[in-house]
Amino acid sequence: MRTAMEVGRIGSAELKDLVAGGSTLDLVFPVASLARLAALSPSAGHETSLRASLSFQSAAEGYSQVFPQVHVRVSGAVDLACQRCLQPLVLPVAIDALLTMVSSEEQAAELADPFDTVLLEDGELAPAQVVEDEVLAGLPLAPRHSDETSCGRDARMISGETHRPMAGLADLFGRGDRQGEE
Ligand SMILES: [Zn+2]
């Protein structure tokens, strides 16, 4: 498992080797290292990280040439501010995308699905940028806790109340045990 810092950009020669070998890179990105995601996080991304797996393969249907592809899988979580109560919200991330690597917009236009592409700069791939782009694209427009009772200060009061019946249940079981001993 390599961290994102050690990888930076993948040069065109290494990229060619990765594609030829059908290799997989396993990377860890602290959310704090991804500026655009960290900007959305109340903790500046210091509490969460993303695990990414990039699998390289050749093949992809262009009209004039074969393009390399990268299968991007990302898991982990990002912390965001709930848009209802502005309190932290941890959003699980699970991304599975097959992207075709192209060197120009013209090449992307050749493909059946020109949207699932990564544009290489000078033949180089920037894994952090790819991962961040994919995660950003998958975020809800207005992230919120699943229901209002999970939000803010009131939530603690309400959840306190909902815990009481469980405590009552525990008492019931406790009595049941004691009865069993008698
Ligand atoms: Zn909330």
Side-chain angles (χ1 to χ4, degrees):
M1 188 77 61
R2 289 203 264 174
T3 63
M5 297 291 191
E6 296 168 44
V7 172
R9 301 176 75 84
I10 300 173
S12 55
E14 190 187 350
L15 200 54
K16 208 172 254 183
D17 286 346
L18 289 167
V19 170
S23 304
T24 295
L25 285 181
D26 290 314
L27 304 167
V28 176
F29 297 91
V31 173
S33 73
L34 305 170
R36 288 171 293 162
L37 273 176
L40 300 175
S41 165
S43 70
H46 292 301
E47 289 166 12
T48 48
S49 64
L50 297 168
R51 207 166 260 256
S53 156
L54 276 63
S55 298
F56 297 88
Q57 61 189 63
S58 57
E61 16 53 74
Y63 295 121
S64 60
Q65 65 183 107
V66 172
F67 297 102
Q69 292 181 312
V70 58
H71 189 175
V72 179
R73 276 159 290 201
V74 187
S75 61
V78 292
D79 53 329
L80 303 168
C82 169
Q83 296 305 297
R84 194 190 286 127
C85 67
L86 301 178
Q87 295 300 305
L89 162 76
V90 176
L91 188 79
V93 171
I95 284 165
D96 191 319
L98 183 62
L99 305 174
T100 301
M101 295 183 278
V102 295
S103 301
S104 66
E105 301 286 355
E106 289 73 27
Q107 286 185 343
E110 280 191 37
L111 298 165
D113 189 351
F115 298 107
D116 289 334
T117 54
V118 184
L119 192 59
L120 301 177
E121 287 178 47
D122 299 324
E124 296 183 340
L125 181 73
Q129 194 182 327
V130 172
V131 167
E132 191 172 28
D133 284 346
E134 290 300 309
V135 173
L136 282 167
L139 290 184
L141 289 175
R144 288 186 294 197
H145 288 108
S146 55
D147 58 83
E148 286 183 40
T149 57
S150 307
C151 278
R153 199 173 265 270
D154 289 345
R156 279 194 285 273
M157 288 167 59
I158 291 165
S159 73
E161 282 170 13
T162 56
H163 277 105
R164 230 168 273 150
M166 288 179 71
L169 210 60
D171 284 347
L172 210 64
F173 284 133
R175 275 198 295 276
D177 285 345
R178 280 194 295 276
Q179 280 171 0
E181 284 162 17
E182 281 168 12

